[in-house]
Amino acid sequence: MFWPGLLEGAHNGTGLGHEFLRHVERTRVLVHLVEPLPPDGSDPLNNYRILCRELELHGRGLADKPEIIAVSKAELTGSDEVRERFQRELGREVLAISSVTGQGLSQLVGAVADKLNGPFCNNQ
């Protein structure tokens, strides 16, 4: 499984591993962009859970950071079903975005702004 800069096993130093995770430590909000139909045929929800587990195993509060989940490629058939599955199984809002059509991008920007100004973030 591959995420830009983050591979399964990153907490052990795989791929960019610790270097990437140290970069993530400096963020105030995590935005998970979910590939709804991964080219390798993997399960998007399982991919998300693996990523979350890597953040947890790395420690340093990464798993506790405010996060937003957005399913990308909303223009593709099947993308909305993936978003609905995430919402159902995780019990929280999951955004749908498309860089092709612009769908959901303003909602994503607004959600990030809300998290940055929210009670869980240090507004320095």
Side-chain angles (χ1 to χ4, degrees):
M1 223 117 350
F2 175 76
W3 298 270
L6 188 60
L7 296 170
E8 187 172 5
H11 72 282
N12 285 325
T14 301
L16 294 177
H18 297 291
E19 181 180 334
F20 184 80
L21 289 166
R22 279 192 300 274
H23 171 71
V24 175
E25 289 173 26
R26 296 189 301 267
T27 65
R28 293 180 15 199
V29 175
L30 300 176
V31 178
H32 298 284
L33 294 178
V34 175
E35 167 70 44
L37 306 166
D40 66 359
S42 60
D43 175 43
L45 186 59
N46 187 54
N47 293 346
Y48 166 77
R49 288 183 169 141
I50 290 169
L51 175 63
C52 290
R53 182 72 178 143
E54 289 299 321
L55 297 175
E56 184 181 320
L57 290 169
H58 180 70
R60 299 185 177 104
L62 289 184
D64 300 322
K65 286 186 180 271
E67 70 175 9
I68 297 165
I69 303 169
V71 174
S72 63
K73 302 180 183 176
E75 76 281 0
L76 297 180
T77 302
S79 181
D80 198 49
E81 289 79 8
V82 171
R83 185 192 61 77
E84 289 172 358
R85 178 177 170 225
F86 266 73
Q87 283 190 162
R88 186 175 56 253
E89 293 198 25
L90 300 177
R92 61 182 138 157
E93 181 182 25
V94 175
L95 302 176
I97 65 166
S98 170
S99 62
V100 171
T101 67
Q103 175 187 341
L105 296 179
S106 62
Q107 290 88 349
L108 177 59
V109 170
V112 170
D114 288 346
K115 294 282 186 187
L116 287 173
N117 293 317
F120 300 108
C121 294
N122 182 2
N123 294 313
Q124 294 179 1

